[in-house]
Amino acid sequence: MNKSTKIENKVIHIDEDYTLWLAELKSRYRNAQLKAAVKVNSEKLAFNWMLGAELVVKKAEERWGTGIVEQLSKDLQNEFPSTDGFTARNLWMMKQWYLFYSNPEHEQKLKQAASVFEKYAQNHTFALSQITSYAMPEQELKQAVSLFPNLFAFIGWSHHIAIIQKCKNIDEALFYVQKTIENNWSREGLKRAISADIYHKQTIVANNFSATLVKPQAGLLQEIVKANYDFSWAEVEHASYNELELEEALSKNITQMLLEMGNGFAFIGRQKELVVSGKSRKIDLLFYHIRAHCYVVVELKARPFEPEFVSKLNFYVSAVNNLMRQAEDNPTVGLLICSDMDETEVRWSFEGLQSPLGVATYSGIKVTELLPTSEQIKQRIKNLKAQKHN
């Protein structure tokens, strides 16, 4: 739609071409802001890695005494008073960060992890500086700092600290680095994920995608569907909550729900009604995944997995395929999210089924027990008095 307006007595004609151009400029500028932020973060992290490596390679404590880190902290803070990253604790963390990853046996794992995000980095055309450009005469130090993977630049220093403090090995640490980048977790979100131990839970294969879908689609869905969903942002009123209460808690903040589901999910509806043979059937949550080009039926269970749950989920998937799926849509996917599950029970429940189904767990729901009402308090006092008299 074209429209005209005036700016300081000058006539401006706003048409569709201008609107598209403006949207493109906004998008390019936001991308430029992101590049700048990552560039700055990259330089800071590269410096931290370098300093941690130097404390190790130079054997600073043996060379200058056990208090050298504290002295170095004071000297750097005096020189750069506006910088808050040179506390003694931070310097110790730089050393610990470097030591955590720097085992020569880990070099291949770091390279593999970095390759996962080559495409991600290329999409944003980030020009990350090479840490090895620093003047370092010691050959050993040059080799040490060359291990710094560029993927580390995509998350903040506080995230790195949380990861090395909580993770037991490099595989677990790199898993959380990857998930933090993929899901854009805050530091608190990352800590909740580590507390929920999603690293170990994600290793459970709880779907039949490879048996029911063609390879490209199956592989994409393997990446999309999580093994554990962090619902720590949702609240229920009591510990014995049921499915409807869980659904209501999640639906109160559908934006957060979409963030937890992951990139590409579009929310279709809650309690989505489908009429099958004159009977009303309602799906807990219905999504559409833009990249996978398919509907995703989500059923919630506030209790551990039972085999009969799969039959109901399979029915809903068939109903969506028959009543909603269009020619351009891929087969509908069913996802059951429950409080816990047994891998063998899930695997056996899938046998013979043709629908692509997955089972995941959830964690982190907050229980906010309601305070008693004034009437309940009065009744309790009355009961206590009666007990004393008896």
Side-chain angles (χ1 to χ4, degrees):
M1 177 182 291
N2 296 353
K3 65 177 182 179
S4 298
T5 185
K6 288 186 177 181
I7 299 179
E8 296 179 355
N9 297 322
K10 296 181 179 179
V11 178
I12 308 295
H13 298 288
I14 306 297
D15 58 12
E16 185 177 353
D17 287 341
Y18 174 80
T19 304
L20 292 173
W21 180 45
L22 179 61
E24 182 186 349
L25 289 174
K26 290 178 179 178
S27 177
R28 289 193 338 232
Y29 185 71
R30 289 193 184 98
N31 197 35
Q33 288 179 310
L34 180 59
K35 290 179 188 177
V38 173
K39 175 72 173 178
V40 171
N41 189 55
S42 170
E43 294 294 343
K44 288 182 178 179
L45 290 175
F47 181 87
N48 290 356
W49 181 273
M50 178 195 71
L51 183 48
E54 288 191 271
L55 289 171
V56 174
V57 174
K58 290 180 179 294
K59 300 180 181 179
E61 293 164 85
E62 295 180 21
R63 189 171 179 178
W64 293 295
T66 56
I68 191 58
V69 172
E70 286 72 15
Q71 181 61 47
L72 181 61
S73 170
K74 289 181 180 179
D75 290 338
L76 290 174
Q77 288 185 87
N78 287 337
E79 183 66 24
F80 307 104
S82 60
T83 301
D84 58 1
F86 291 132
T87 63
R89 179 183 180 278
N90 232 10
L91 298 190
W92 283 118
M93 292 307 306
M94 293 173 197
K95 179 180 178 181
Q96 184 180 341
W97 186 41
Y98 173 76
L99 286 172
F100 186 91
Y101 291 105
S102 62
N103 188 318
E105 296 178 0
H106 296 163
E107 183 174 357
Q108 188 58 36
K109 290 183 178 180
L110 289 174
K111 288 180 179 179
Q112 290 173 350
S115 66
V116 173
F117 291 96
E118 283 182 0
K119 184 176 180 180
Y120 182 91
Q122 290 170 359
N123 288 341
H124 294 280
T125 60
F126 292 128
L128 300 181
S129 66
Q130 295 297 317
I131 187 172
T132 49
S133 63
Y134 289 100
M136 297 176 182
E138 301 96 329
Q139 184 61 32
E140 185 180 0
L141 192 54
K142 286 184 179 181
Q143 293 175 350
V145 297
S146 66
L147 290 174
F148 179 77
N150 281 345
L151 75 97
F152 280 6
F154 294 111
I155 67 175
W157 173 236
S158 62
H159 290 77
H160 285 293
I161 292 177
I163 288 171
I164 63 172
Q165 287 181 323
K166 299 291 184 180
C167 294
K168 298 179 178 61
N169 56 62
I170 187 173
D171 294 312
E172 184 179 3
L174 290 175
F175 169 82
Y176 285 112
V177 170
Q178 176 177 336
K179 292 300 179 184
T180 299
I181 298 171
E182 288 178 352
N183 300 303
N184 195 28
W185 281 336
S186 65
R187 183 179 64 172
E188 293 307 312
L190 168 63
K191 287 182 176 180
R192 288 195 296 267
I194 296 175
S195 297
D197 195 22
I198 69 169
Y199 168 71
H200 291 98
K201 292 179 179 178
Q202 62 89 34
T203 59
I204 298 175
V205 178
N207 62 68
N208 63 354
F209 299 154
S210 60
T212 57
L213 296 168
V214 296
K215 278 190 175 181
Q217 183 78 352
L220 178 58
L221 285 167
Q222 293 282 8
E223 297 176 7
I224 291 170
V225 176
K226 301 178 181 179
N228 182 266
Y229 290 85
D230 178 14
F231 292 159
S232 55
W233 43 270
E235 296 181 351
V236 293
E237 294 180 352
H238 52 87
S240 58
Y241 61 91
N242 58 29
E243 279 81 20
L244 183 59
E245 290 166 320
L246 173 61
E247 182 186 320
E248 289 176 348
L250 299 178
S251 300
K252 284 180 181 178
N253 192 339
I254 197 62
T255 299
Q256 191 63 46
M257 182 67 184
L258 286 169
L259 287 172
E260 180 57 24
M261 292 299 292
N263 294 331
F265 279 90
F267 181 60
I268 303 299
R270 172 195 172 197
Q271 288 294 301
K272 177 66 176 176
E273 184 179 30
L274 297 176
V275 179
V276 182
S277 299
K279 296 180 181 179
S280 175
R281 306 288 186 178
K282 294 183 178 180
I283 298 170
D284 288 347
L285 300 170
L286 183 62
F287 297 88
Y288 191 89
H289 198 277
I290 298 170
R291 285 176 58 210
H293 299 291
C294 66
Y295 287 100
V296 180
V297 174
V298 174
E299 281 293 291
L300 301 169
K301 294 296 179 184
R303 49 202 171 111
F305 175 83
E306 292 290 344
E308 56 264 31
F309 297 162
V310 172
S311 177
K312 185 178 181 181
L313 179 63
N314 185 56
F315 173 81
Y316 284 147
V317 169
S318 296
V320 171
N321 276 332
N322 284 280
L323 298 175
M324 299 182 64
R325 180 186 171 195
Q326 301 296 312
E328 63 272 16
D329 296 325
N330 286 317
T332 302
V333 174
L335 176 62
L336 176 73
I337 303 179
C338 52
S339 63
D340 200 2
M341 66 174 173
D342 177 82
E343 182 184 358
T344 301
E345 286 188 338
V346 173
R347 183 158 38 84
W348 287 6
S349 298
F350 287 159
E351 288 187 4
L353 296 179
Q354 299 302 312
S355 299
L357 306 175
V359 178
T361 58
Y362 71 86
S363 57
I365 287 284
K366 296 177 184 176
V367 177
T368 57
E369 297 286 355
L370 293 178
L371 294 173
T373 64
S374 58
E375 293 300 322
Q376 290 172 325
I377 293 174
K378 289 178 183 178
Q379 185 61 44
R380 290 181 185 178
I381 294 174
K382 186 177 179 180
N383 293 340
L384 288 172
K385 287 181 179 180
Q387 291 174 6
K388 286 182 179 179
H389 288 303
N390 292 336

